[in-house]
Amino acid sequence: MRARLPRQFARGYRSGGPPGSTTEGDQKRFYGLLGGAAIIALGRSKHTLPFAKHHTRQLTTPQLLNHFSLTLFRIAYGYTRYKNPHDYGPFGRHDFVEPAFQKTGFIDFKLKETIPINHDTSLFRFELEPTQKLGMTATSCLVVKETLGDDEKPTVRPYTPVTDMETYGHFDLVVKKYETGKMSSHIHSMSPGDKLMMKGPIQKYPYTANKLKEIGMIAGGSGITPMLQLITHVLDNPDDKTKLTLVFANKSEDDIILRSRLDDLAKKHPDKLKVHYVVDKAQSPNWKGDVGFVTKELVQKYMPASSNQDVLVSVCGPLPMVKSISGAKAPDYSQGEVGGIFKELGYTSDQVFKF
C-alpha cells in the first residue's frame, strides 16, 4: 500500500495558530533537525549505515536523505501528538483549518453574545469553531440576508467585521440601530442562540502594501468599520510604510464608537496613523476635536492633497454625507463619478474610493 502523508502537508505550511496548536518554536526545531540531516547527507556522496548486527549497506545521498527525513518526520509527529493529541502532524491540524467563509453560499451563524456600546449601537459576537477563523481579507465585507416580517423577498445588507482577521473562535459585528433600518432593527432584536445567514468575503478596494504613500479616510457613524479593518491590516504589517489619516465624524462625543481602540492604535503607531474626530455639537468644554460638518476646509486640512502622487481618499457613512463629500455611488453600486467636495478639490476617480 502506498504511504500517504497527512492532508495538510500537501496544502503548504503557514506558521502560527490558535491556542493549542503546534507552536512556532516546535516548527523551527523540526526544520532545524531536518536541515541538519540534509546538510550531513549532502556533505558526502556515500555512507555506510548499520541495519543489523554484523551487516552493513552502502546508501547513496538521496537514499540517506530520504531515510533521515522519514525518521525525523516520525519523531516530530510523535512529539506533537504527545503535546497535543488533537494535532495531526508536526505542523498541527489547527494551522490548516478551513476558514468560515468560502464563497459557497449563505451560512447560518449563531449569536454568542451582545455587548452594548452606546445608546443605539452594540457589538454582536457570533460563534465559530474554536480552531476556526473567519477567512476575511483586507477591505472585504460580508452580506447578511434575512426575510423579515411579511416581506416576500429577503433583506440583504453588507457589514464589515471589526474582529482581527487572525482571531479564532468568533467574529464581531458592530451594528448601529436605525429607526427605519429593517436589518439593523432585526439584528438588535436577536438573542444569544439565534442564527443569522451570512455570505462572504466580498472584496471592496484591492489593497496592496506600499502601493500608496498615503490614504485619507473619512468615516461617519458605523461607517468606521471598513476603515478600521484597513487600518488594522496596514498597521499589523511592519513592512507596510503607508501613512494613514482618519477623520471620524459623529453627532456627539457619545456617538463615537470604537474610540478607545482607535486611540490605542494611534498611540502605538504615531508615525503611521493620525486620527481626528468631528462632532456636530460639542457637549463638553474640554472637547479638543473639530466641531461642525465635514467641510471643504476640513478636507483640505487633513486629507492628502490631490496634487500628490500615490494617494487615495476614501469615504464611508450615511448617504447624505457620502453625496456631499465624494458624490454617491452609481445605481448599480459601482463607484460612479467623483462629485462633491472631492471633485471641487481636484481628486480623480483613481484617487477616490467609496466604501
Side-chain angles (χ1 to χ4, degrees):
M1 180 182 294
R2 181 183 176 185
R4 302 183 66 179
L5 293 178
R7 181 168 58 98
Q8 56 264 42
F9 276 81
R11 298 178 54 192
Y13 161 73
R14 176 163 47 84
S15 64
S21 64
T22 307
T23 65
E24 185 177 357
D26 293 330
Q27 294 158 356
K28 287 181 178 179
R29 282 190 289 274
F30 175 77
Y31 275 118
L33 290 170
L34 188 59
I39 292 172
I40 293 171
L42 294 175
R44 301 173 63 185
S45 60
K46 289 188 177 182
H47 310 270
T48 302
L49 186 68
F51 282 89
K53 189 175 181 180
H54 307 303
H55 176 74
T56 61
R57 174 186 170 189
Q58 282 196 330
L59 297 178
T60 63
T61 296
Q63 290 173 328
L64 184 64
L65 180 58
N66 183 60
H67 174 78
F68 269 93
S69 299
L70 290 175
T71 301
L72 289 174
F73 171 79
R74 291 172 185 137
I75 294 171
Y77 178 82
Y79 173 66
T80 53
R81 284 297 296 269
Y82 169 76
K83 286 195 64 178
N84 186 351
H86 299 293
D87 282 347
Y88 291 146
F91 302 129
R93 169 176 62 92
H94 302 317
D95 293 333
F96 302 90
V97 70
E98 295 288 349
F101 286 130
Q102 300 178 49
K103 298 182 180 180
T104 55
F106 283 90
I107 305 171
D108 279 329
F109 290 94
K110 184 185 296 184
L111 179 65
K112 182 177 181 180
E113 62 178 323
T114 301
I115 304 172
I117 295 177
N118 61 23
H119 61 284
D120 63 0
T121 305
S122 295
L123 182 148
F124 297 86
R125 178 159 293 172
F126 290 88
E127 291 183 0
L128 297 176
E129 295 295 327
T131 59
Q132 189 176 41
K133 59 184 178 181
L134 194 54
M136 302 290 286
T137 57
T139 65
S140 66
C141 71
L142 54 83
V143 290
V144 173
K145 181 175 74 172
E146 195 71 31
T147 301
L148 305 173
D150 298 327
D151 293 348
E152 294 183 0
K153 296 182 178 180
T155 299
V156 180
R157 293 290 184 273
Y159 289 97
T160 302
V162 298
T163 319
D164 186 282
M165 287 183 280
E166 295 303 314
T167 298
Y168 290 80
H170 72 270
F171 67 95
D172 300 334
L173 298 181
V174 170
V175 181
K176 182 181 179 71
K177 183 179 180 180
Y178 294 95
E179 292 183 4
T180 58
K182 288 185 177 181
M183 185 60 75
S184 65
S185 297
H186 170 71
I187 294 175
H188 274 258
S189 70
M190 292 177 64
S191 301
D194 292 344
K195 295 182 178 180
L196 191 63
M197 295 182 66
M198 305 184 202
K199 179 182 179 180
I202 298 173
Q203 188 69 42
K204 293 290 188 176
Y205 178 77
Y207 180 77
T208 302
N210 295 311
K211 183 179 180 180
L212 301 166
K213 292 181 180 178
E214 186 174 358
I215 300 176
M217 297 167 280
I218 302 176
S222 57
I224 187 61
T225 55
M227 307 305 190
L228 178 61
Q229 186 190 65
L230 177 58
I231 289 170
T232 304
H233 179 74
V234 173
L235 298 183
D236 280 347
N237 181 3
D239 296 325
D240 193 340
K241 306 304 180 184
T242 307
K243 294 187 180 298
L244 307 170
T245 301
L246 170 68
V247 171
F248 190 14
N250 288 274
K251 291 181 180 179
S252 69
E253 192 172 355
D254 292 338
D255 290 306
I256 303 175
I257 60 176
L258 303 169
R259 183 177 181 179
S260 60
R261 186 168 172 183
L262 291 168
D263 289 343
D264 184 57
L265 289 171
K267 185 177 180 180
K268 290 180 179 178
H269 305 274
D271 296 332
K272 292 180 67 174
L273 174 64
K274 305 294 182 184
V275 178
H276 307 281
Y277 298 106
V278 184
V279 296
D280 292 355
K281 294 181 180 180
Q283 297 172 309
S284 168
N286 298 322
W287 172 250
K288 297 180 180 179
D290 291 273
V291 178
F293 297 105
V294 178
T295 62
K296 178 180 177 180
E297 290 71 27
L298 191 140
V299 172
Q300 287 178 306
K301 181 179 179 181
Y302 294 125
M303 294 292 100
S306 60
S307 58
N308 294 345
Q309 292 183 342
D310 301 327
V311 300
L312 180 78
V313 288
S314 57
V315 61
C316 186
L319 183 57
M321 173 184 169
V322 174
K323 284 183 177 180
S324 172
I325 295 172
S326 65
K329 287 187 174 182
D332 63 355
Y333 297 103
S334 62
Q335 289 292 294
E337 296 183 359
V338 177
I341 296 172
F342 284 168
K343 183 178 180 179
E344 291 181 43
L345 294 177
Y347 293 100
T348 66
S349 58
D350 292 335
Q351 295 176 310
V352 174
F353 189 82
K354 308 166 192 176
F355 281 98

